[in-house]
Amino acid sequence: MTEIIDSFKKIAIEISEAIKTKDTGKVETQNSSGDIQAKLDVISDEIVEKHLLNLPSVKEIISEEKESAVSKNEGKYLVAYDPLDGSSLIDVDLSVGTIFGIYENGYNGENIVASGYIVYGPRVELVVARDIVEMFRLNEKTKEFEFVKEINLDKKGKILGPGGTQKYWYPYHKKMIDDLFMEGYRLRYSGGMVPDLHQILLKGGGLFAYPGAEDKPKGKLRKLFEVFPFAYVYKKAGGFAIDGENDLLELETKHPHDTTPCFFGSEYEIKRVKEVYKGQK
Ligand code: AHG
Ligand code: MN
Ligand code: MN
């Protein structure tokens, strides 16, 4: 496990360098989720693959940019990753990230044993969830990640990141978001789940929602590469992660690219979501 986490430190340095120097354009192909790929999506995927397949402890990898898994004849861990989350924000120079989940014996939520993410912002930061959630920052001079702090969520926050297309939100979802704003919550939404969820974690709490809606009943965010890893981080930081009703880590996966509605936050906000969503399905 430690060798996988250490490997993501090297991956972070390489992807960060690619973001700073490579072409920010698109390629002609789509990935398995039907997204138009950025050249950097493909480059980042190759960087992660190269590092992980070299590790004796890794048995299999699967990525948002791959149709199916790549397996080896050795190893114990399955690693699912989104090499470059928020790549549509690259051309406007907003923060993007890499998300990874480490699984054992399968890709259901209950199989995840550690997870983490890298934020490529003004600085490069790495957050790792094992028993606790720890944050590290890249020292650009020494190229080492230095421990910054342990992350713990408060019981109630002040910020709100409501994803999806408002036109298609279900009326009860719209009312819940309006009510939270009227309670005093402030909008914090960049369109990149890594910086948006990172901000909520570091500011003590709040709510990030990417709901099911009329245009996308199962939401947009992918269980293996985005949702389960962040659910694990939030739960280990003392927060909560649900699909409206159930704990996200209780969900099963049929297809690697399955999506789910998702809500991440602190105790108060997730209780509100549960009350609103109860009996709505
Ligand atoms: P990706 O760039 O890996 O395809 O994922 C982007 C995700 C996530 O970061 C963000 O929260 C969400 O897509 C934004 O979706 P909308 O375009 O619907 O706002
Ligand atoms: Mn993504
Ligand atoms: Mn991506």
Side-chain angles (χ1 to χ4, degrees):
M1 183 105 79
T2 307
E3 71 169 4
I4 299 174
I5 310 279
D6 285 345
S7 188
F8 272 100
K9 294 178 180 167
K10 294 183 198 136
I11 288 165
I13 292 168
E14 272 190 52
I15 294 183
S16 164
E17 199 53 37
I19 291 169
K20 285 178 198 153
T21 55
K22 303 278 185 192
D23 190 318
T24 57
K26 306 266 188 294
V27 288
E28 297 302 313
T29 50
Q30 290 186 346
N31 67 14
S32 309
S33 303
D35 300 330
I36 305 283
Q37 287 174 300
K39 288 182 187 166
L40 277 163
D41 282 322
V42 179
I43 293 171
S44 304
D45 190 39
E46 287 167 359
I47 292 173
V48 183
E49 172 170 359
K50 175 188 78 183
H51 281 277
L52 292 184
L53 288 182
N54 255 327
L55 303 177
S57 66
V58 171
K59 182 179 179 191
E60 186 173 289
I61 61 167
I62 175 120
S63 126
E64 188 180 281
E65 307 303 335
K66 296 185 196 308
E67 179 58 40
S68 51
V70 180
S71 303
K72 289 164 44 190
N73 290 326
E74 55 169 0
K76 171 175 176 189
Y77 296 112
L78 318 172
V79 186
Y81 62 92
D82 180 354
L84 196 60
D85 179 77
S87 54
S88 68
L89 302 174
I90 283 282
D91 54 1
V92 290
D93 204 18
L94 284 174
S95 297
V96 293
T98 296
I99 310 167
F100 60 94
I102 305 174
Y103 298 76
E104 252 186 81
N105 305 315
Y107 292 110
N108 291 329
E110 64 176 23
N111 299 116
I112 195 161
V113 292
S115 72
Y117 61 88
I118 300 154
V119 194
Y120 309 100
R123 300 180 189 200
V124 178
E125 294 182 340
L126 168 71
V127 171
V128 179
R130 284 175 275 197
D131 291 334
I132 56 169
V133 182
E134 294 171 294
M135 173 177 155
F136 305 86
R137 185 176 289 143
L138 179 64
N139 178 325
E140 293 283 355
K141 290 207 178 98
T142 61
K143 296 291 170 198
E144 294 289 334
F145 275 88
E146 294 168 357
F147 176 74
V148 178
K149 63 174 175 175
E150 186 182 330
I151 297 180
N152 286 297
L153 279 164
D154 296 337
K155 290 200 181 315
K156 184 178 186 313
K158 295 182 182 140
I159 56 177
L160 186 53
T165 306
Q166 299 194 20
K167 178 182 168 188
Y168 298 116
W169 283 354
Y170 298 128
Y172 54 88
H173 181 79
K174 179 168 171 35
K175 182 172 182 319
M176 177 183 79
I177 298 295
D178 288 346
D179 288 349
L180 287 168
F181 279 130
M182 289 320 291
E183 258 181 50
Y185 281 80
R186 283 170 295 132
L187 177 66
R188 292 291 183 271
Y189 191 76
S190 74
M193 76 181 298
V194 174
D196 289 339
L197 284 165
H198 189 54
Q199 179 165 199
I200 292 171
L201 282 167
L202 293 181
K203 303 281 186 194
L207 178 67
F208 176 92
Y210 205 108
E214 273 169 32
D215 59 335
K216 291 176 187 157
K218 291 201 174 302
K220 172 186 180 186
L221 298 174
R222 289 143 281 224
K223 289 179 184 171
L224 257 58
F225 317 116
E226 295 162 324
V227 173
F228 291 161
F230 267 112
Y232 194 83
V233 171
Y234 266 65
K235 290 187 72 178
K236 291 290 178 187
F240 297 81
I242 62 169
D243 67 354
E245 204 175 354
N246 304 303
D247 190 318
L248 286 167
L249 294 182
E250 285 169 9
L251 299 184
E252 297 191 344
T253 323
K254 291 203 171 63
H255 185 276
H257 296 270
D258 279 352
T259 63
T260 177
C262 54
F263 302 83
F264 304 89
S266 28
E267 188 179 322
Y268 173 80
E269 295 83 2
I270 294 295
K271 195 164 159 264
R272 289 286 299 273
V273 176
K274 274 192 177 163
E275 283 164 9
V276 169
Y277 271 73
K278 199 164 191 256
Q280 295 288 3
K281 274 188 198 160

